[in-house]
Amino acid sequence: MPRPIRATISASALQHNLLVAKAYAGGAKIWAVLKANAYGHGLERAARALEAADGFAVLDFQEAARLRVAGVQKPVLMLEGFFKPLDLPLLAKYSLTPVVHNPEQVEMLRVADLGGEVDVYLKLNSGMNRLGFTVDNLRAAYNAVRMHRQVGSVSVMTHFADADGPAGVSGQLSWAEEMLRQIEGLAQAPRSMANSAALIRFPETRGAWVRPGIMLYGCSPFGHAGTSAPPQMAELKPAMTLQSEIIATQHLQPGERVGYGFAYEAAGEMTIGIVACGYADGYPRHAPTGTPVLVNGKRTRTVGRVSMDMLCEDISDIPVAYIGTSVTLWGEGLSADEVAASAGTVSYELLCALAPRVPVAEVA
Ligand SMILES: *Cc1c(COP(=O)(O)O)cnc(C)c1O
């Protein structure tokens, strides 16, 4: 038997969340973002559950090839494009749509025989200053791809730095539109701008294609406090539930301590449950005492430091809790957003960090 820890992935939650995204998208098409092993949910599994999406977005050519081997025929967007000239023949071979975001890529593309027609996304740097062209390189890039006889359609994209925060999107949106107005031929090109946060908050960013990721997995781009999140966020269903069991209990007297560094000291008499889940399973080591956890469906808190394979929780007020009792770390009944907020991070990081050693079960 494996250790009692397991992650359960709900196909119906993924499908439900896609419908929520579609409602926000209006008529825009949906690139379901499947990078990072579908945010830890499993690439092929997520693609199967999300088959009603219009296309899939990934980073890695191996991920793209795996989608094609799995029988996916929808468009596949390569979010960082290609990296080396050797990647180029894969574009037509697997019918992939690369994002082209720097002049080196343009040059690689310009001199390449692609072996077939390839659609291209040109990425604008509208202020995030991570990937994307300035207006001058954009013009040069557009001229180069337009001249390439194997380049099919040309779309444009940009990415928002603070769609979930106080800056919003208006500055970047108007800068992007200003750049596009200056380049004849791109003024009318299909746009793809919105991640989950922009899709939910800013309908004006929809364009032709939207790119939701985190919301498909049932988590919030706004974090746990998320006061700016519209009430519709509550419609999302967590797709991943991480569960384990208590494997030992300890009774503590006042002043006794728990775990590495003796980091937690019992103020009064208390009972501790030791859970088979640690940072080597993907649980954040920096989650402090007080991070929420469900024991047999009842909320309690972690105490002390998270170890590699175990964590400790206060079960003093949960009399039924004993060895074998079920523990939910996040998912159904306890949002990963809340656990992440307690640990000073975002649900994205928790989901992506699910360790390969955790057995995954899929439920309808
Ligand atoms: C990851 C990513 C997304 C999805 O973002 P979410 O916040 O998960 O919705 C969209 N676009 C790009 C370019 C990305 O890298």
Side-chain angles (χ1 to χ4, degrees):
M1 289 287 285
R3 291 162 71 230
I5 191 166
R6 69 199 170 280
T8 307
I9 308 295
S10 164
S12 59
L14 290 166
Q15 285 154 6
H16 168 87
N17 297 334
L18 178 60
L19 289 178
V20 175
K22 281 196 170 181
Y24 279 105
K29 290 187 177 178
I30 298 205
W31 292 115
V33 178
L34 300 185
K35 64 188 176 187
N37 196 30
Y39 293 43
H41 293 66
L43 180 72
E44 289 86 354
R45 182 184 297 118
R48 231 176 6 253
L50 297 170
E51 65 178 358
D54 301 288
F56 299 105
V58 296
L59 289 179
D60 193 279
F61 281 88
Q62 270 178 3
E63 290 173 322
R66 278 169 57 192
L67 289 175
R68 293 299 184 222
V69 168
V72 169
Q73 294 184 0
K74 301 254 168 94
V76 170
L77 182 66
M78 304 304 291
L79 286 167
E80 293 176 355
F82 43 87
F83 304 91
K84 296 277 149 54
L86 275 176
D87 296 332
L88 284 156
L90 302 176
L91 297 172
K93 177 178 176 197
Y94 291 118
S95 190
L96 309 176
T97 304
V99 171
V100 175
H101 59 82
N102 72 36
E104 283 67 25
Q105 287 176 324
V106 175
E107 188 52 25
M108 278 189 253
L109 190 66
R110 195 181 64 79
V111 299
D113 176 1
L114 299 173
E117 189 172 283
V118 171
D119 294 334
V120 164
Y121 266 48
L122 295 180
K123 186 167 189 176
L124 289 61
N125 174 9
S126 58
M128 189 170 184
N129 288 313
R130 204 176 54 174
L131 302 185
F133 296 111
T134 59
V135 68
D136 290 335
N137 320 329
L138 178 65
R139 186 176 290 107
Y142 178 58
N143 289 335
V145 299
R146 206 183 37 171
M147 300 305 278
H148 199 301
R149 60 188 173 79
Q150 291 162 317
V151 169
S153 69
V154 178
S155 305
V156 292
M157 73 178 273
T158 197
H159 195 54
F160 297 116
D162 205 28
D164 54 317
V169 299
S170 59
Q172 284 189 260
L173 192 57
S174 50
W175 182 236
E177 289 304 332
E178 178 54 34
M179 285 169 81
L180 293 170
R181 245 194 313 276
Q182 294 179 36
I183 298 169
E184 205 185 325
L186 282 184
Q188 301 304 322
R191 273 47 165 178
S192 174
M193 315 235 195
N195 57 6
S196 298
L199 177 58
I200 292 164
R201 273 180 86 194
F202 302 107
E204 66 272 29
T205 62
R206 282 174 190 162
W209 286 79
V210 294
R211 305 188 306 270
I214 194 71
M215 69 183 294
L216 300 178
Y217 306 103
C219 285
S220 169
F222 307 107
H224 175 57
T227 46
S228 53
Q232 290 91 325
M233 283 310 299
E235 289 173 27
L236 298 175
K237 296 184 178 166
M240 178 196 295
T241 298
L242 179 62
Q243 287 174 300
S244 189
E245 291 178 6
I246 294 176
I247 59 168
T249 63
Q250 304 289 342
H251 297 282
L252 304 187
Q253 297 304 315
E256 288 196 296
R257 294 159 184 249
V258 183
Y260 283 118
F262 294 129
Y264 180 80
E265 181 180 324
E269 227 179 288
M270 68 186 296
T271 308
I272 298 295
I274 313 301
V275 184
C277 176
Y279 61 78
D281 299 300
Y283 195 89
R285 183 180 176 277
H286 46 281
T289 291
T291 299
V293 57
L294 296 183
V295 177
N296 197 31
K298 192 161 185 261
R299 253 177 109 93
T300 181
R301 59 188 187 120
T302 64
V303 297
R305 276 194 204 155
V306 174
S307 314
M308 183 182 286
D309 312 306
M310 287 173 264
L311 56 78
C312 310
E313 59 188 14
D314 183 355
I315 55 169
S316 309
D317 296 331
I318 310 177
V320 299
Y322 191 61
I323 293 165
T325 298
S326 160
V327 176
T328 298
L329 288 316
W330 65 67
E332 194 79 58
L334 174 63
S335 170
D337 294 316
E338 192 178 348
V339 177
S342 174
T345 183
V346 290
S347 54
Y348 298 74
E349 188 179 5
L350 302 193
L351 302 179
C352 294
L354 183 76
R357 82 175 191 182
V358 177
V360 178
E362 186 175 332
V363 294

